[in-house]
Amino acid sequence: MEKLLLNTIKVGLLLVVLSVLFYFNSSMYPFLTLKTVIIQSIIEILTALWLVLIVFYPRYRPRLTPITVGLLILLVVLLISAFFGENFYKSFFSTQARLTGIFLIIHIVLLFLLLSSVNISFWRWLWWTSLTAASTGMIFGVIEKFFLHNLFFSRDSGRASSLFGNPAFLASYLLFNVFIGLLLLTNERKKWVKIIAAFFTSAVALGVLLTQTIGAMAGLAAGVLLILIYYIFQLPRSSKRSFLIGVLFLVVIFNGVF
């Protein structure tokens, strides 16, 4: 039963990551409603299975780490704020156009607890699933940008928005996955796997540029810049270090010109 419950939870977590690809044109908010409903439904099912798991197998119970405590305190503060706010109903459930109320945040906290219960080796699968989903979303963004401008009935046909309906939302999502790709590129051992990770990461980074979202592009440049600075100080003096210094110089020049 332990293996069955744990494997089901892992599959469900992968489905949560893939849910960003769902799109339902017949709904009032085609880019938002289906994604949110699917994510919340999966998390609720997985939470029920997880409760069974932690009852019979105590080692899967959450530990009170500083991050866990901080997250729970934040949730309590938000609940208190909503209770004393102007409209508790809207604070808790939000509006149909947003769906980002405390009800969703509770699901995110549960997702955090679910993720913390699985072994660390599973996270590699999670990262690869996320990077693959982001690359798929980027493909739709390229099609929308250069070929079918009204593929998803976006309001801004000049910028890629893919399955998110908003270039800024897509850019924020892709930005996380650029650094997930860099993480995989650093940790993978096999050369051919590194090549795939590099290709996907480059594609997702290109997707950030296609959204033409200044904040995301600046964040991407700043993040890469900080990573290069870190490795320059960590690596010994060698040809690699000289190469990184050269790349750092090019990044600074690019940022200035851009």
Side-chain angles (χ1 to χ4, degrees), residues 90-109:
K90 284 189 176 181
S91 296
F92 192 83
F93 290 106
S94 187
T95 61
Q96 291 185 11
R98 293 294 178 182
L99 297 178
T100 51
I102 296 175
F103 186 70
L104 176 64
I105 296 175
I106 291 173
H107 285 77
I108 294 174
V109 173

Side-chain angles (χ1 to χ4, degrees), residues 145-167:
K145 172 74 175 177
F146 296 106
F147 302 102
L148 300 174
H149 298 307
N150 293 320
L151 179 62
F152 298 110
F153 304 101
S154 174
R155 290 171 296 179
D156 192 345
S157 60
R159 301 162 62 191
S161 58
S162 187
L163 294 161
F164 287 77
N166 186 309

Side-chain angles (χ1 to χ4, degrees), residues 15-26:
L15 290 176
V16 169
V17 175
L18 288 172
S19 62
V20 296
L21 299 176
F22 284 99
Y23 168 82
F24 186 50
N25 186 45
S26 298

Side-chain angles (χ1 to χ4, degrees), residues 1-11 49-50 52-61 117-119:
M1 185 176 70
E2 176 188 4
K3 187 176 181 180
L4 177 62
L5 289 171
L6 191 60
N7 288 337
T8 305
I9 290 172
K10 289 180 179 180
V11 172
L49 297 175
W50 176 68
V52 176
L53 186 69
I54 64 176
V55 167
F56 291 98
Y57 306 99
R59 64 177 174 273
Y60 295 106
R61 293 172 184 174
S117 67
V118 298
N119 52 26

Side-chain angles (χ1 to χ4, degrees), residues 41-171:
S41 300
I42 294 175
I43 291 174
E44 289 166 7
I45 294 171
L46 296 183
T47 300
L49 297 175
W50 176 68
L51 290 174
V52 176
L53 186 69
I54 64 176
V55 167
F56 291 98
Y57 306 99
R59 64 177 174 273
Y60 295 106
R61 293 172 184 174
R63 291 174 293 177
L64 288 179
T65 64
I67 295 178
T68 306
V69 173
L71 195 61
L72 293 176
I73 291 175
L74 174 62
L75 181 59
V76 171
V77 170
L78 290 174
L79 285 169
I80 295 173
S81 174
F83 181 78
F84 289 102
E86 181 179 352
N87 191 320
F88 177 79
Y89 182 86
K90 284 189 176 181
S91 296
F92 192 83
F93 290 106
S94 187
T95 61
Q96 291 185 11
R98 293 294 178 182
L99 297 178
T100 51
I102 296 175
F103 186 70
L104 176 64
I105 296 175
I106 291 173
H107 285 77
I108 294 174
V109 173
L110 291 173
L111 178 61
F112 169 81
L113 296 176
L114 288 166
L115 288 168
S116 65
S117 67
V118 298
N119 52 26
I120 196 67
S121 61
F122 169 74
W123 282 72
R124 177 173 175 266
W125 289 94
L126 196 74
W127 294 144
W128 270 110
T129 303
S130 180
L131 186 61
T132 303
S135 301
T136 305
M138 182 268 174
I139 292 173
F140 286 120
V142 170
I143 295 174
E144 179 186 38
K145 172 74 175 177
F146 296 106
F147 302 102
L148 300 174
H149 298 307
N150 293 320
L151 179 62
F152 298 110
F153 304 101
S154 174
R155 290 171 296 179
D156 192 345
S157 60
R159 301 162 62 191
S161 58
S162 187
L163 294 161
F164 287 77
N166 186 309
F169 294 168
L170 175 62

